Amino acid sequence: MLLNFEIKDIIDIVCVAFLLYYVYKLMKDSGSLNVFYGILIFIATWILVSQVFEMRLLGSIFDKLVSVGVLALIILFQEEIRRFFLTVGSQRKLKFISRFFSRKSKAKETGSNPAVMKIVWSCEQMGKNKVGALIIIERSMSLTDIAKSGEAIDAIISQQLIQNIFFKNSPLHDGAMIISHNRIAAAGCILPVSHDLNIPKELGLRHRAALGITQQSDALAIVVSEETGAISIARRGELQHRVSNEEMERQLTEALQ
């Protein structure tokens, strides 16, 4: 058996390990880690019954359960599966291809984006006035479906416009603002809320929504707390509290480039 072990077998094992790790991470972010453990135990039992002990009757039952279980898993985890394929096919994952074929990337502009400072100043001012805000920066994964849940704006990023949208008496202040391609695409948008049990109870719905959208996409979310005026940034399902203007500018520059 060991003599027939080839390089392709090593590659096969590495690929399976990578796939299992990615599924584990996906389930952990969505709060379905116990389901992942249950699936692993079921697969291990199925292999033991069918392949090792060769129990025909019990093995045939497990085979039927597997065929039906795959369809059930697709129905139950359609959002996670959709996010998986969005991540795989995202422009950021394939960016090296465009860099290889395009010479324009070598001549990339290094100047600062004026929209970045407008967002920073807006958040700073809203923080001082304790005006709650939730701003989502679209990156490589499209947020068109999220934007459709709110009011379309399609306007140039403006400090006054951002503050007016999140003004307490504004009809759009409770929802999220979507910024796409250096423009305010929509406001008053509804975001998926994270159900992570480890989130501190003192954090409000805006923070949970910021974590939720960053768990399902590669977007960057900025939260201005209505209670404390503190600014937080959510990215890759993790939340940074009391972010300075310099750090916010750095992360926004990276997200909007």
Side-chain angles (χ1 to χ4, degrees):
M1 293 292 293
L2 294 176
L3 295 177
N4 295 328
F5 200 76
E6 300 177 356
I7 298 297
K8 66 178 182 180
D9 298 316
I10 298 176
I11 297 174
D12 189 21
I13 294 172
V14 171
C15 289
V16 171
F18 176 79
L19 182 61
L20 286 175
Y21 171 75
Y22 191 87
V23 172
Y24 166 80
K25 187 177 179 182
L26 203 64
M27 292 290 190
K28 184 179 179 181
D29 292 340
S30 62
S32 307
L33 197 56
N34 289 334
V35 178
F36 176 76
Y37 291 145
I39 293 172
L40 286 183
I41 293 172
F42 178 83
I43 292 175
T45 306
W46 174 46
I47 292 174
L48 287 173
V49 169
S50 301
Q51 304 296 328
V52 179
F53 298 111
E54 296 183 352
M55 299 179 180
R56 295 182 180 179
L57 180 59
L58 193 58
S60 62
I61 295 175
F62 271 89
D63 291 339
K64 296 294 183 182
L65 288 175
V66 168
S67 60
V68 176
V70 171
L71 182 59
L73 288 175
I74 292 174
I75 296 173
L76 289 174
F77 298 102
Q78 54 182 331
E79 287 297 327
E80 285 77 7
I81 294 171
R82 177 176 177 271
R83 180 155 56 98
F84 170 78
F85 286 110
L86 280 174
T87 304
V88 171
S90 65
Q91 296 176 7
R92 188 167 296 274
K93 294 292 183 182
L94 302 176
K95 187 176 285 186
F96 68 94
I97 298 177
S98 61
R99 287 181 178 178
F100 181 79
F101 288 103
S102 177
R103 297 180 180 179
K104 292 182 180 180
S105 59
K106 296 181 180 179
K108 206 176 201 180
E109 295 182 1
T110 57
S112 60
N113 189 336
V116 170
M117 293 312 302
K118 293 178 182 179
I119 299 173
V120 172
W121 292 332
S122 299
C123 293
E124 181 184 15
Q125 192 62 39
M126 289 187 293
K128 290 180 180 178
N129 297 328
K130 292 187 177 180
V131 175
L134 178 55
I135 302 174
I136 310 301
I137 312 297
E138 181 188 80
R139 304 189 71 191
S140 62
M141 295 176 67
S142 176
L143 299 178
T144 303
D145 293 340
I146 300 294
K148 288 180 180 179
S149 66
E151 294 292 331
I153 295 179
D154 191 24
I156 298 173
I157 297 175
S158 166
Q159 183 178 351
Q160 290 76 16
L161 179 57
I162 293 175
Q163 292 181 13
N164 286 337
I165 288 174
F166 289 111
F167 184 66
K168 292 182 180 180
N169 293 331
S170 169
L172 300 176
H173 79 282
D174 278 335
M177 173 185 291
I178 306 296
I179 293 181
S180 175
H181 302 293
N182 286 318
R183 294 181 68 86
I184 300 176
C189 300
I190 302 173
L191 301 183
V193 178
S194 175
H195 298 286
D196 191 347
L197 299 178
N198 296 322
I199 300 176
K201 294 182 179 180
E202 60 268 16
L203 296 182
L205 189 60
R206 284 192 179 94
H207 293 84
R208 288 184 173 272
L211 285 173
I213 191 63
T214 57
Q215 287 173 352
Q216 296 190 14
S217 70
D218 63 345
L220 182 143
I222 303 173
V223 184
V224 181
S225 173
E226 190 173 354
E227 289 75 21
T228 64
I231 298 174
S232 304
I233 290 181
R235 189 174 182 181
R236 302 189 186 97
E238 297 181 356
L239 194 65
Q240 296 175 268
H241 298 286
R242 300 189 179 277
V243 177
S244 64
N245 289 346
E246 292 75 15
E247 178 63 18
M248 180 165 47
E249 180 184 354
R250 185 189 67 80
Q251 294 203 37
L252 278 172
T253 302
E254 181 182 346
L256 289 172
Q257 66 182 1

